[in-house]
């Protein structure tokens, strides 16, 4: 790609990430830290409850109206409740594929939290976005942790290529890209 040649301007990784994530039918929002609590509150206003993993920054949940549920003690049956949503961060995000990468680190919780509830809202700091998969591997805080790579809401297609969403995970994925403060 021309943007990757020496002397060329660096690619706009957040824009590329958002474009690719939208290709996978994720909804992408961009905001700054000061606006984040209200944006998250608006996105999660209709949820019956919001699962919040350990290590989630308090500012993220400051304006939430639905009950906050700690992710550590919930069972599969609890997580499968109608209208439940999960709010997480991520370890890294990949611009080329529109993928968020979770490694069970702070604000991510255990893998089950992002696979069972019908809605997943993930906050991605734009500083966490890397260009491609080799960069992702280099950027991982701990490459020995198990990874969950998510590219859009859960979807599958049958032999006739009829797309069905939500069979193996959330039907709706909202990604909130947190822009650096100026």
């Amino acid at each position: 790609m021309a943007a990757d040649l020496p002397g060329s301007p660096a690619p706009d990784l957040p824009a590329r990430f958002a474009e690719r994530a939208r290709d996978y039918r994720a909804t992408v929002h961009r905001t700054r830290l000061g606006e984040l609590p209200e944006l998250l509150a608006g996105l999660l206003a209709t949820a019956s409850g919001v699962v919040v993993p350990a290590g989630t920054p308090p500012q993220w949940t400051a304006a939430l109206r639905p009950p906050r549920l700690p992710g550590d003690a919930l069972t599969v049956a609890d997580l499968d409740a109608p209208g439940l949503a999960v709010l997480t961060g991520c370890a890294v995000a990949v611009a080329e594929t529109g993928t968020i990468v979770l490694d069970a680190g702070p604000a991510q919780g255990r893998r089950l939290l992002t696979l069972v509830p019908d809605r997943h809202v993930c906050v991605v700091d734009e500083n966490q976005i890397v260009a491609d998969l080799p960069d992702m591997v280099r950027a991982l805080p701990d490459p020995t942790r198990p990874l969950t790579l998510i590219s859009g809401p859960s979807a599958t297609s049958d032999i006739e290529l009829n797309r069905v969403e939500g069979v193996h995970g959330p039907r709706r994925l909202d990604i909130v890209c947190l822009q650096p403060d100026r």
Side-chain angles (χ1 to χ4, degrees):
M1 298 170 83
D4 296 331
L5 297 174
S8 297
D12 184 352
L13 295 180
R16 184 184 300 174
F17 171 76
E19 177 186 349
R20 296 295 197 271
R22 287 183 186 110
D23 286 346
Y24 282 109
R25 298 186 185 177
T27 304
V28 181
H29 314 267
R30 290 182 82 187
T31 192
R32 298 209 182 277
L33 186 59
E35 301 161 350
L36 182 64
E38 287 303 319
L39 175 62
L40 293 174
L43 290 174
L44 295 164
T46 60
S48 60
V50 179
V51 178
V52 180
T56 300
Q59 184 174 10
W60 293 9
T61 61
L64 290 184
R65 289 163 195 81
R68 287 176 222 96
L69 308 169
D72 298 340
L74 299 175
T75 66
V76 173
D78 295 333
L79 293 169
D80 201 25
L84 195 63
V86 63
L87 171 63
T88 72
C90 71
V92 179
V94 183
E96 193 59 37
T97 59
T99 302
I100 54 175
V101 181
L102 308 176
D103 68 358
Q108 298 168 55
R110 52 196 175 121
R111 188 171 187 230
L112 193 61
L113 299 183
T114 60
L115 298 178
V116 179
D118 205 39
R119 184 163 188 199
H120 182 187
V121 177
C122 183
V123 177
V124 176
D125 188 309
E126 289 188 353
N127 294 320
Q128 294 177 296
I129 301 172
V130 298
D132 53 28
L133 292 174
D135 286 346
M136 176 205 77
V137 173
R138 286 188 286 274
L140 288 169
D142 181 354
T144 64
R145 289 181 160 185
L147 303 177
T148 303
L149 281 70
I150 301 170
S151 298
S154 167
T156 189
S157 294
D158 63 15
I159 294 171
E160 296 174 358
L161 300 179
N162 293 320
R163 182 180 169 101
V164 179
E165 294 182 354
V167 175
H168 305 291
R171 293 178 205 273
R172 184 161 178 195
L173 173 63
D174 286 281
I175 300 172
V176 178
C177 292
L178 189 56
Q179 299 171 298
D181 286 328
R182 295 181 194 164

